[in-house]
Amino acid sequence: MTGIAHTWPPMPDAPPAPRRRGRPLTAAAAVAALMTASAAGGYWLRSADDGLDYVNDYVDHPPLRVVGYPSTGTLELTQRIVWRLADGSSGALAGLATSDGSAREALATADNWVAAFGAGARGAVTADFYDEGSVRQTVVLYFHDTGLRKQLTLRLDGPAGADGWKVLLREPDPEKAAAPPTWAPESPGGRNSSAG
């Protein structure tokens, strides 16, 4: 008989298998991980209710088409903006506003956006993400059913971004709020896009 003979259990004079040693997670490392998650928009630190609300919204709305390179935070915020537009929920949209500007200005802007883009948000929408999105990102929404376009400015808000990703809502003039971005291509993924 040819071949290698195998025995079980291993021979007693065989050297022991090397042990892998891992470092225990220190309190400092755990705190650093939590602070990083918090600065990244708190994605992993959301409450169960927030997670359930997000899942319900995701199921209740058409999928958002994406072009470019969003961060986790900018993608989630953009989805929430489109969902609030589709639902006609000005108050909830105003709740996503950055801290610069008044609550009255944010609500007036949200009202204008819902009036201008609400119908389009209930249909197919593409979000074209520009720039790299570590602390600020420009997004152009393309509402395919209505042919309208809207520029969003997203940024981390609060001290060192502690309040997470928010949208700039400072367009209380209905005409300015509904105006398309003149610099953006007519269709998503054009030459100025981060994906193009």
Side-chain angles (χ1 to χ4, degrees):
M1 181 170 178
T2 60
I4 300 175
H6 296 281
T7 61
W8 186 258
M11 303 297 287
D13 58 345
R19 294 183 66 185
R20 298 183 83 182
R21 295 183 183 197
R23 293 185 198 161
L25 182 63
T26 65
V31 169
L34 288 172
M35 290 176 67
T36 301
S38 177
Y43 182 77
W44 299 110
L45 298 177
R46 69 167 53 136
S47 72
D49 289 341
D50 286 346
L52 186 57
D53 289 344
Y54 182 81
V55 168
N56 288 336
D57 275 338
Y58 190 84
V59 169
D60 291 342
H61 296 89
L64 179 68
R65 297 173 185 158
V66 175
V67 176
Y69 303 100
S71 70
T72 302
T74 59
L75 176 58
E76 181 179 337
L77 178 58
T78 302
Q79 287 176 310
R80 289 183 188 270
I81 291 165
V82 172
W83 296 338
R84 298 302 71 88
L85 290 170
D87 296 343
S89 182
S90 298
L93 180 57
L96 302 174
T98 57
S99 59
D100 55 344
S102 69
R104 180 180 295 173
E105 183 178 41
L107 186 57
T109 301
D111 286 337
N112 292 337
W113 285 16
V114 166
F117 306 108
R122 288 187 283 280
V125 180
T126 299
D128 197 347
F129 290 81
Y130 290 78
D131 310 318
E132 49 82 30
S134 60
V135 294
R136 177 181 300 266
Q137 192 156 35
T138 299
V139 180
V140 177
L141 297 177
Y142 292 85
F143 302 96
H144 297 283
D145 293 352
T146 60
L148 298 174
R149 294 175 294 146
K150 178 64 188 161
Q151 175 183 334
L152 308 175
T153 301
L154 313 179
R155 68 174 174 83
L156 286 172
D157 203 37
D163 295 335
W165 286 96
K166 302 289 182 175
V167 60
L168 188 64
L169 292 176
R170 299 193 68 187
E171 297 175 331
D173 177 3
E175 193 172 305
K176 287 183 181 178
T182 57
W183 59 270
E186 294 290 325
S187 60
R191 63 179 164 26
N192 295 330
S193 173
S194 59

